[in-house]
Amino acid sequence: MDRRRLVLGSVAATAALAVRRAGAEDAYPTHAITIINPFPPGGASDVVTRPLTAIMESVVKQPVVIETKSGAAGAVGAQVAATAKPDGYTLLSHITSISGFAEVDRLFGRQPKFTNADFIPLARIVADPCALIVNAQQPYRTLAEFVDDAKKRPNQIIFSSSGLYGALHIPMALFIKSAGLKLRHLPTNGGGPALTALLGNNSQALVSSVSACIAQIKAGKVRPVAVFGAERSKALPEVPTMRELGHDLEYYLWVGLFAPKGTPAPIVAYLGTAIDKAAHSEQFKVALANLGQELDYQDQAAFAKFWEADAKRIEEAIRQIGRVEG
């Protein structure tokens, strides 16, 4: 047994003992754990979390069920999780956009329905640089060709997104501003439907996580013209970054797991250990590789620190985009 497994085993045993000592009537967990996916099937949250939950079941010795509650670019499912009983049986899988909902409400003078303080970050699983992709029926082979055509035909090219101010709208809006373009926006209720719109040529462009669109790229149905990472994606090494192409933009679509505020610390520790073990399994790494992904794991402490800084970036991006009606 290597040192990592020994440490994880010790932490798991300690966390389980702490749960019992906390005065719980029964040892946790005693029944199924539900992870809310706040987006339609096919988006980054879904495709990353689904194989993880399958492995978690063998760790926690209970069913781990994904329940889809999509709507409002992920806000519906997030609100359900924020108001759930904080007992460790309802968790949330979410992405970058979770950081912006309260700021959007403030932008429109609304009282936020929930804030980041309503969640306990458990772990970050991946941090996927996004890619700007176009429908393969379109003539664009490079970002420059796309920009040139968009400038010749203002408001005629349509881009789809996961919803207004959603995780896939934010990077496209920032790119549009950087390039000085005018495009038409087709908001949908998640990354999956946004990609479906692109595949049907109902939209001609989309910013997507690499993991969510890599299969369609390999099938030749969509074409990547730029990525938003600091470096080129290992899955798309031939595709230049936005910075290489003159746009000072960097954006990642990360997937993380959360518990409602008030979840007991021993349960949070237990879940952190279980997620860690499942995420670092060879089975999960293979699943990620099949998605064109790599594990970019952060435990609770590291994720909490990262999330605080990332939220500030997302909030600033939303303020920069400003009020968008419709």
Side-chain angles (χ1 to χ4, degrees), residues 26 43 62 134:
D26 299 294
Q62 294 291 344
V134 297

Side-chain angles (χ1 to χ4, degrees), residues 44-283:
S45 174
D46 181 62
V47 299
V48 169
T49 306
R50 197 165 293 277
L52 181 70
T53 59
I55 301 168
M56 278 183 65
E57 289 189 342
S58 64
V59 178
V60 302
K61 310 301 183 185
Q62 294 291 344
V64 182
V65 181
I66 291 183
E67 184 174 341
T68 298
K69 290 188 177 294
S70 61
V76 170
Q79 186 174 1
V80 170
T83 57
K85 185 178 180 180
D87 56 5
Y89 290 102
T90 302
L91 309 179
L92 174 70
S93 172
H94 219 296
I95 59 177
T96 314
S97 59
I98 193 174
S99 304
F101 293 125
E103 190 60 33
V104 170
D105 282 335
R106 295 186 190 101
L107 194 66
F108 284 86
R110 302 189 295 253
Q111 179 67 30
K113 300 178 182 64
F114 57 84
T115 70
N116 290 3
D118 290 310
F119 302 99
I120 298 172
L122 296 174
R124 189 187 76 179
I125 311 302
V126 298
D128 194 3
C130 285
L132 175 54
I133 57 177
V134 297
N135 183 287
Q137 299 175 42
Q138 300 301 314
Y140 318 120
R141 298 282 172 177
T142 66
L143 185 68
E145 291 176 355
F146 176 79
V147 169
D148 288 346
D149 190 41
K151 288 185 175 180
K152 292 175 184 175
R153 301 189 299 126
N155 289 318
Q156 293 188 48
I157 296 176
I158 301 170
F159 75 93
S160 52
S161 82
S162 55
L164 193 59
Y165 299 106
L168 304 186
H169 177 211
I170 291 170
M172 180 62 97
L174 293 175
F175 167 67
I176 289 171
K177 180 167 285 191
S178 175
L181 305 181
K182 291 183 178 180
L183 305 179
R184 290 169 57 194
H185 185 197
L186 173 61
T188 70
N189 63 348
L195 182 58
T196 298
L198 182 71
L199 293 172
N201 207 29
N202 294 310
S203 70
Q204 289 74 59
L206 167 69
V207 172
S208 170
S209 69
V210 172
S211 63
C213 68
I214 190 67
Q216 304 300 338
I217 292 173
K218 290 180 178 179
K221 295 181 180 180
V222 301
R223 188 180 303 123
V225 295
V227 294
F228 284 76
E231 300 175 351
R232 294 193 180 196
S233 168
K234 291 181 180 179
L236 302 170
E238 74 287 355
V239 181
T241 67
M242 281 289 181
R243 285 206 173 101
E244 286 181 74
L245 299 173
H247 301 280
D248 188 19
L249 299 172
E250 187 176 332
Y251 185 89
Y252 298 85
L253 198 157
W254 50 259
V255 177
L257 295 180
F258 302 83
K261 178 183 68 176
T263 301
I267 291 179
V268 170
Y270 177 91
L271 286 167
T273 302
I275 295 166
D276 188 301
K277 188 173 182 178
H280 284 93
S281 68
E282 289 305 313
Q283 183 181 352

